[in-house]
Amino acid sequence: MPVNHHRVSDEKHLPTPSIEQELPVSAVLGLSQKGQADWPRLRGLEAQALSRLTLHRFFVHAIVALLVAHLYTPLVGPLFMGLWLGALATVQISGMRSDKRQQLYNTRRGKHTLSKNHSRTAIVSAILWAVPLIGFAPFGSVESAGTLMAVIGTLMAGRVYFYTTTPLNMVIASLINGIAGCAPFIVMGEWALVTGVVLFTICTILGAIEVGRTHMAARIAESAIIEKEEVVSLLLREFEENEADWLWEIDPRRRLQSVSPRFAFALSATDKEVDGKPLLALIAGDKWESGDFPPSLHELAEKLRNRENFSNLSVQVSIKGEERWWELSGTPIRDERGKFTGFRGVGSDVTEQRQSSEKIEYLARYDTLTSLPNRLMLTEALGDALDHAEHWRSRCALMMIDLDRFKAVNDSLGHMTGDKLLAQVSSRLKALMGDNAVVGRLGGDEFAVVIRDASDLNYLRSLARRVITSLSEPYQVDHHTLYVGASVGSAIGPRDGRTVEELMRNADLALYRAKDAGGGEHCRFEPVLHASAEERRQLEASLRNALGLDEFVLHYQPVVDARSESIVSFEALVRWNSSEHGFVSPGKFIPLAEDTRLIVPIGRWVLRQACFEARKWPDHVKVNVNVSPEQLLEPDFHQEVVDTLAASGLRPERLEIEVTESIFLRDASVARNALEQVMALGCSIALDDFGTGYSSLGYLRKLRFSTIKVDRTFVQGASQGANESLAIINAVVAMAKSLDMTTTAEGVESAEEAELIRNLGCDKIQGFYFGRPMASEDARGLFSKDGLPNPRRLRA
């Protein structure tokens, strides 16, 4: 359906036509009421405007009448002139009284009556002015008749420009006077003057219509403005009654006026109490006397002083001693003459919204657990420090701090305890910081310190040392005494990085080196660390492809009976011969595999290969397979062992799973369940590196380990006569026997060490003395044809 664009345009200008709209002559003269305007109201307004000129009209008629009397009294006599003047005066005085009487009535009916009175007065006046032209002029000369017509013509022209509100009356009056003005000149035969009078009358009539049209258009526009103002006022009142916002208005001296109840409530007062009071004094509170205003209040005062519009201006106010936030909008108001009369606007109390936004902003920039600046705020602080260092040609620094052994606490005692520990750590760090340093939490157990001026490198080293010392002291959390340490990595800006990202990356590399050194260390960034990081990245990329390229191989190290020296098992050890990096030490790629969780697929491959290889050994020889915590915590680990045993045909009794004490620090219940399921199959479990880790004595009673492996450090210490190492080995052996477990001593490299271990009561021995890790073919070659071990080959 097509759209009627003209109708749409017309509807936009309802309820009154626009000023530009052409008014028809009939509407101007009041003979029709076309359009949507309130014509009776407009006619009433016109009549009221004309009534204000009553006195002026009387004096003009009086002056012109005196001129006529001066010209024609000698010709017509005092009697006739007196009668005419009396009639004219009576009509004018009657019109004046009627105007004054009708002005008292402000009703539609009163306005209509006032308009009729004006029409009657104008027409009767025109008839009376026709009397001198028709009755007096023939008694005089052509010159006196011309003078009379000129005087009355002036009156006709004055009506057009000063009585614009009643164009129909002016047309009728001009027509009466024009016809009357032609009469004496027709009698005298002065046709040129007749023509002049006719043309003048026509011009007067046309002028009255055009001037009336202009005046009517102005009245219509004024009516539209008034109507719009009334609608706006109604909407504003409705808005204030139904919304939380309120209206405000001040006079040129900034004193409140027309105070609404809602605004008075916002001021904690009544409208009578605040009406006429200075706005700024009311909202400044106690600060009004001192003049110590908030900046936002100064800005509001400046806007009011300069008479500027403003919108959504946030202003901090004090209402009866309570600090609040208002949002104000205002615009200067002026009267019809353009005179400034004050301000009017709308306002609302946004205290709760502002508090919410401030809380959101705080949460965006601060860590909720420790109340320290978060990563975003630290990044901004580091950027400012770098800019400061660049500008003043000085140095700044970034220290990255990572807690040592925090994961053990978090996993063993739970996240609640870990969070409380982090809160205590943050308190210690804040106590160490001065005005020159900002400490924040990056996430987890990682913190950072931004040092704005690091010109003194001794200060950096001293602060790092104090951080490590303070964080290494014991903590009391929920009746637990906890010990964690800290590693620190630092980078100097702009020497070690000109951007925030570069400096943070280099400080992190230094921290990684401190962690690799065993923790509790402070390492500064060195360019060589980039090479190490790049090497690690390349190694990781190659490690991800190693299984697919078949680059892994298993070597086997024999474990022998301490008395008979016969082979009882082999420990399967994975080796990596990379096509890109050559032979890679297990000490380098195993930690990398654990960090990246690549140890899970690698461990799965090791378990499968080891079981298939063990099927080729004598039936009494077991295979020991190391399982990392990442593998053990896999939900399908038990099923993986079952599938591998089924595929290889290896009896479960010949598989021994080796785990380290670190498994108890991740998720002890999951680890225990996984090991119990494996033991239920018939497999045995060995606890590797016992005594070097995390005091798992409690788990020895809960889990039935078959073997405890004594770490090589104790074996070497005992061989050197260290009493502590001897005592530990004796204690482990005694404990294992009481729990019906066997012991294996690792790292035995000589006959003397083997004899010492044998005398200490260990059941099994593993070490270079009895054999280094070897290829599968070499391992099978250790057995004679009847399946018994060949001692000569074993020692070779």
Side-chain angles (χ1 to χ4, degrees), residues 330-533:
T331 184
I333 51 178
R334 302 180 186 277
D335 59 16
E336 62 276 4
R337 292 173 294 177
K339 181 181 178 182
F340 174 72
T341 59
F343 264 87
R344 181 185 295 139
V346 64
S348 60
D349 191 314
V350 294
T351 305
E352 293 182 1
Q353 297 92 313
R354 189 174 182 91
Q355 289 173 348
S356 298
S357 63
E358 288 176 352
K359 185 176 181 180
I360 292 172
E361 184 178 355
Y362 176 84
L363 293 176
R365 301 173 66 82
Y366 286 88
D367 177 60
T368 54
L369 176 62
T370 63
S371 298
L372 293 177
N374 61 9
R375 181 180 291 271
L376 172 64
M377 194 168 179
L378 281 173
T379 301
E380 293 177 354
L382 183 57
D384 292 340
L386 281 170
D387 292 341
H388 180 269
E390 190 77 27
H391 182 267
W392 296 104
R393 298 185 181 275
S394 59
R395 289 183 289 193
C396 63
L398 174 66
M399 288 172 46
M400 304 278 275
I401 305 167
D402 190 82
L403 300 183
D404 300 331
R405 300 181 298 279
F406 173 75
K407 188 172 180 54
V409 174
N410 217 22
D411 291 338
S412 60
L413 299 179
H415 292 285
M416 292 286 290
T417 301
D419 289 347
K420 292 178 181 178
L421 176 59
L422 288 175
Q424 292 192 27
V425 169
S426 67
S427 298
R428 295 186 184 185
L429 287 173
K430 281 191 287 188
L432 296 173
M433 299 301 127
D435 296 336
N436 189 36
V438 177
V439 62
R441 183 185 178 208
L442 296 176
D445 62 338
E446 194 170 6
F447 298 82
V449 177
V450 176
I451 302 174
R452 187 175 179 84
D453 184 4
S455 301
D456 183 5
L457 295 180
N458 290 327
Y459 171 76
L460 176 62
R461 286 192 288 266
S462 172
L463 180 59
R465 185 168 59 253
R466 284 185 283 127
V467 166
I468 295 172
T469 301
S470 177
L471 298 187
S472 299
E473 294 177 358
Y475 300 83
Q476 296 295 327
V477 181
D478 292 340
H479 309 294
H480 297 284
T481 301
L482 305 177
Y483 293 87
V484 295
S487 300
V488 179
S490 62
I492 306 295
R495 184 193 69 186
D496 299 332
R498 293 187 174 274
T499 65
V500 171
E501 294 77 11
E502 190 177 2
L503 203 60
M504 293 188 76
R505 182 178 66 248
N506 291 341
D508 199 44
L509 289 175
L511 175 63
Y512 191 83
R513 180 179 180 182
K515 299 287 285 186
D516 277 351
E521 297 288 340
H522 168 222
C523 291
R524 290 185 297 173
F525 171 77
E526 298 174 1
V528 70
L529 295 180
H530 269 303
S532 300

Side-chain angles (χ1 to χ4, degrees), residues 4 8 21 27 70 78 102 116 144 157 186 269 343 367 378 391-392 537 540 630 660 715 767 772 784:
N4 190 334
V8 173
Q21 182 176 351
H70 175 72
Q102 294 299 332
K116 290 175 62 178
S144 60
I186 292 174
F343 264 87
D367 177 60
L378 281 173
H391 182 267
W392 296 104
R537 188 193 64 78
E540 180 183 340
E630 298 292 338
T660 62
V715 173
R772 293 175 177 272
S784 59

